[in-house]
Amino acid sequence: MDIEKTKEYFRQMLRRKDFMALKEEMSKLAVQDVAEILNQMDEKESLLAFRLLPKDKAAEVFSYLSDKIRTAFSQMIEEDELKSLVEDLFFDDKIDFLEEMPANVVKKILQRTPESERRLINQFLQYPEHSAGSIMTIEFVDLKTDMTVEQALCHIRYTAPKKETIYTCYVIDQQRHLLGAISLKDLVLADPSSKIEDLMDKNIITVRTDDDQEYVASLFKKYDLLSMPVVDRENRLVGIITIDDVVDVLEEENTEDIQKMGGISPSEESYLSQSPITMAKNRLLWLIALMVSATFTGRIIQKYEDLLQTMVILAAFIPMLMDTGGNAGSQSSTMVIRGLALGEIRTRDAFKVVAKEFMVSIIAGISLAGLNFIRLIAIEKVSTSIALVVSITLIAVVVMAKVVGGLLPLLAKIVKIDPAIMASPLITTIVDAMALVAYFNIAKLFLKI
Amino acid sequence: MDIEKTKEYFRQMLRRKDFMALKEEMSKLAVQDVAEILNQMDEKESLLAFRLLPKDKAAEVFSYLSDKIRTAFSQMIEEDELKSLVEDLFFDDKIDFLEEMPANVVKKILQRTPESERRLINQFLQYPEHSAGSIMTIEFVDLKTDMTVEQALCHIRYTAPKKETIYTCYVIDQQRHLLGAISLKDLVLADPSSKIEDLMDKNIITVRTDDDQEYVASLFKKYDLLSMPVVDRENRLVGIITIDDVVDVLEEENTEDIQKMGGISPSEESYLSQSPITMAKNRLLWLIALMVSATFTGRIIQKYEDLLQTMVILAAFIPMLMDTGGNAGSQSSTMVIRGLALGEIRTRDAFKVVAKEFMVSIIAGISLAGLNFIRLIAIEKVSTSIALVVSITLIAVVVMAKVVGGLLPLLAKIVKIDPAIMASPLITTIVDAMALVAYFNIAKLFLKI
């Protein structure tokens, strides 16, 4: 499907006031595609098209609209219409919406919500960001142990339209304690007269409302789950998390890691919707920190000013040594940061990591130095002693860079700092300083200055 | 659950030959946890425990074992046992297993497989790596248009045990052309006598066998799917892809991007299982390329040797300027690479990206330069003219770095190179050279040397 063409078609239909044709076209599209087009249209046009959607599809489309368009809608439409729209949303989408809206809109909606639901909404709004509680929903199927399969299926049929998933059902007692789970597949396959108690799986993986969403995602990955129950401290079932939300969490966490590794304070907004001022703010902190720390390397150069003055040629190789060190170090830190994020490396593997990085750095360092020596002699035509100094420094730099690059993310993890921070920008600055000290000392030693 | 403790318990039971207790313990664990423990045990112990698993659980555990353990098993057990084990695997797991095994094992298994299945296996083994065909399975439920809901449910009940998912069923005609899809939820909710034809969803999202898995994953993310049909050129249904495999693809693609961004040739093996030689090989290519290109910066310094000799103090700020430029540039390229990967930025947004990066770089550059000027005067006590030269260069470097960092990934995308390559290491090298040229020229201009 071509979004651009369909958007153009939407506009034409609106201009011609051919609402029937537009309605027809929208009924053929997936809700996500309708939302994508409405997001890109003018707010008034967008609302006009949105109002043509049937009630059930409208709620679904609404949950995929951008915050910008949703805020615009909620300021353009009447309170009654807004209320009935919000009522049709799934509970987790409702919470998402309320979290993003300005306070006056939230107040307007909550005022007209019945007391019991209002209390529940307020409870959900209080779950910390990135916690299991903040991504769960309450629309699950709950069964009782003494139901038969037939009764359970009947209960599911009756309640299904309001549930986000019916493919895993949860078994609870009178006090809502979680006792087990059963898949719709097993229910469909079972003898209708058998008891839920005998069929349910009692070994279920659960999370707490305050568990981190990254931990939740790792369990979904490991156990190939479609949904997972969330319980409180007393093991009472309070909600479920579904795989579609976990996929979003995974991408969000990956984006966060990548941004941190690039020396940027993470942001959940998309690139094009961030203002230049916010972007500059998210990047300045690291730039300033790294600029200030980079001045140490300047101090080192100043300290060896006399050496440089007698052999200016040495300055020519500073960028190459610094860059190669920075690259070698960031390769190692990248591998270790990712290994830690995927759970492939644990802190107790620190020794193995250092040993491995040392081995790799010896192989890589000697190969690079050899190649570099030939290049310096044959192409750059420098003296053998200079070529030797540069090449020996290169080995030392690669070894230091890789060991430090491998070790720092692990140390970060041990002291409970996010390892993603120990990526390229920071490693580069640290390795630069070490490379310069090594370079000047090796030069002094070999050139006898 | 504590894997370490459970592993110890497994070992004790094996030593005491208390197989009943071990069997009991394994029946309580999830298949993924059993596999994790078996992966970490000695091969013989591992096989001993594996053989205690009931037939259906054994196949599931087998699909989660590491390639190392699976190869060991297939060399230790008899042909008959291996064949019956492989028979019990889901089709996609079977293909995965055969792809990883040495040729003699594959031959052994295929020899004893019936002709029709052998042909199918060979076809699947030929789908290119990372294609939709390589991650699909054939265990789906197919329905016919003229079935009633009751007949469909009956068909599902009969075939379900052998299917990977029954939650989305696909409707095909006699020639296996895909006509529609229907969820088990809709089937459970529908009137038993209604026809599949009237209930099925005809607007379905499909992929081709040769589509890239990254594209498949992006569709799952966008449309919140649990499974997706794969069709051939004639729109005949050949397989389905399920969400659990897509979650793995997402993580794999993210790992690949992160490795490329760190200047490493991507590898699918985990960090700890790669040999130092492979690791050195995966990293050397980029290190050599970047070392050679970094020598251009050396040339630039050599060119301005006279200038440096008269003002050695200038050398002291080279690392700071180079590092800040590198960091500023890699921030921009990181943001744009990720935006492209998530589909938030498209190539036609190039102008918007450059304009945004320019704005951000002006704000960031001036702030940094101001801060740096104060620091140079107040702390480093350099002359005003030097502080001015360094600070003006800083603005120029940040602007160049951010514009180049934002633009290069987009250019890569346009000429169909993976944008992830245009990350930190490459940007750093390019920006370094530009920073030096700017620095020396600004110095010449202002210091009138």
Side-chain angles (χ1 to χ4, degrees), chain B residues 160-195:
Chain B
K162 284 176 286 173
K163 303 304 175 191
E164 222 188 293
T165 181
I166 60 167
Y167 296 144
T168 310
C169 306
Y170 297 95
V171 187
I172 54 174
D173 66 12
Q174 290 295 338
Q175 288 77 41
R176 305 196 61 77
H177 293 111
L178 181 63
L179 303 175
I182 184 163
S183 71
L184 185 61
K185 184 175 176 178
D186 288 342
L187 282 174
V188 165
L189 286 180
D191 173 358
S193 64
S194 43
K195 282 258 190 278

Side-chain angles (χ1 to χ4, degrees), chain A residues 36 64 222 224 357 432, chain B residues 36 64 222 224 271 323 357:
Chain A
E36 191 176 340
Y64 288 101
K222 178 169 180 189
D224 291 341
E357 287 303 326
D432 281 355
Chain B
E36 190 175 341
Y64 287 101
K222 177 168 182 189
D224 290 342
Y271 181 87
D323 281 351
E357 288 303 327

